[in-house]
Amino acid sequence: QVQLVQSGAEVKKPGASVKVSCRASGYPFTTYFLHWVRQSPGQGLEWMGVINPSDGSTIYAQRFLGRATMTRDTSTTTVYMELSSLRSEDTAVYYCARSSQQLVRSWGQGTLVTVSS
Amino acid sequence: DLQMTQSPSTLSASVGDRVTITCRASQSIGTWLAWFQQKPGKAPNVLIYKASSLESGVPFRFSGSGSGTEFTLTISSLQPDDFATYYCQQYDAYPLTFGGGTKVEIK
């Protein structure tokens, strides 16, 4: 079955970068887009962007342009989301999620990123 | 960007109640709307897609309706397992956008 397994929790200082991974299994990796969605503590869901694992092309939400970078490694069926210039407001759970025709159906378990001095 | 507005933000209800949550899009999205349920500490789960299609395995007490800019999620008879937060999401166009969420609490 479809599995998306994310890397573990991170604690970072303001100004640093974080790179979260999401390993996909149980389906042809290059067939489905993978998204990143974050959720700040006690808040709603915020879409960050999407990557096409087939060719590595990406679309980012405007507010993350220039600060978020999504990449993939087809040899390990893993996608990555790197967020730079971290600030306290970036403290959140970051989810990867697989879509079919843009409908997000399968989610990773989430990765808590804490930004604190 | 398409804005999704959900109401109410919080809803207090009892087991057995009929519950309705509304979602409004800032422009027409056809029927490209999904509803998610999220429980504390867990990832969201899709309940409804294409505005009114029930996801496999989701109980029949959940239903969705609407098109264009106005959508509703209805739980016909609230069960103890249904106390959670619900989100609508449009997937008509990027950026994908979510409603602000509706927390369904025990009355």
Side-chain angles (χ1 to χ4, degrees), chain A residues 11-17 84-88 90 114-117:
Chain A
V11 179
K12 295 292 183 180
K13 293 196 182 302
S17 296
S84 62
S85 303
L86 290 169
R87 35 208 187 230
S88 58
D90 293 318
T114 303
V115 183
S116 174
S117 54

Side-chain angles (χ1 to χ4, degrees), chain B:
Chain B
D1 296 356
L2 275 158
Q3 305 299 318
M4 306 302 293
T5 304
Q6 253 182 269
S7 61
S9 56
T10 307
L11 189 159
S12 295
S14 302
V15 172
D17 283 354
R18 181 181 181 87
V19 164
T20 298
I21 300 168
T22 298
C23 180
R24 177 175 296 146
S26 59
Q27 62 192 70
S28 178
I29 58 170
T31 55
W32 300 111
L33 183 104
W35 289 97
F36 292 87
Q37 178 193 68
Q38 188 180 31
K39 296 184 177 177
K42 300 292 186 182
N45 281 322
V46 62
L47 300 173
I48 301 285
Y49 64 97
K50 214 153 184 303
S52 60
S53 296
L54 191 68
E55 179 74 343
S56 176
V58 173
F60 291 114
R61 62 181 179 272
F62 291 93
S63 64
S65 64
S67 65
T69 62
E70 298 280 339
F71 302 88
T72 59
L73 173 71
T74 300
I75 309 172
S76 60
S77 177
L78 199 64
Q79 299 302 300
D81 190 48
D82 301 338
F83 291 98
T85 301
Y86 295 83
Y87 295 93
C88 62
Q89 183 220 27
Q90 67 80 19
Y91 57 105
D92 179 54
Y94 291 126
L96 305 185
T97 45
F98 293 87
T102 297
K103 186 174 183 180
V104 177
E105 298 179 327
I106 300 172
K107 192 171 185 179

Side-chain angles (χ1 to χ4, degrees), chain A residues 1 8 13 19 21 26 28 40 55 87 89:
Chain A
Q1 75 280 22
K13 293 196 182 302
K19 193 169 186 177
S21 67
S40 301
D55 61 8
R87 35 208 187 230
E89 309 90 87

Side-chain angles (χ1 to χ4, degrees), chain A residues 7-116:
Chain A
S7 49
E10 303 261 13
V11 179
K12 295 292 183 180
K13 293 196 182 302
S17 296
V18 69
K19 193 169 186 177
V20 180
S21 67
C22 169
R23 183 168 184 182
S25 62
Y27 71 96
F29 178 66
T30 57
T31 305
Y32 297 89
F33 288 14
L34 283 158
H35 304 249
W36 290 92
V37 176
R38 77 176 188 181
Q39 186 169 38
S40 301
Q43 302 301 309
L45 300 163
E46 180 177 30
W47 184 81
M48 299 179 67
V50 59
I51 183 166
N52 178 352
S54 178
D55 61 8
S57 59
T58 52
I59 299 173
Y60 297 102
Q62 181 71 30
R63 64 176 292 181
F64 296 106
L65 271 175
R67 212 161 64 92
T69 304
M70 296 173 191
T71 56
R72 97 293 192 208
D73 182 342
T74 55
S75 67
T76 60
T77 64
T78 301
V79 295
Y80 300 90
M81 190 286 298
E82 184 169 23
L83 190 62
S84 62
S85 303
L86 290 169
R87 35 208 187 230
S88 58
E89 309 90 87
D90 293 318
T91 293
V93 175
Y94 290 77
Y95 293 101
C96 66
R98 191 194 85 164
S99 68
S100 173
Q101 296 179 328
Q102 292 185 187
L103 172 64
V104 175
R105 267 200 169 96
S106 304
W107 296 69
Q109 84 276 20
T111 296
L112 175 62
V113 175
T114 303
V115 183
S116 174

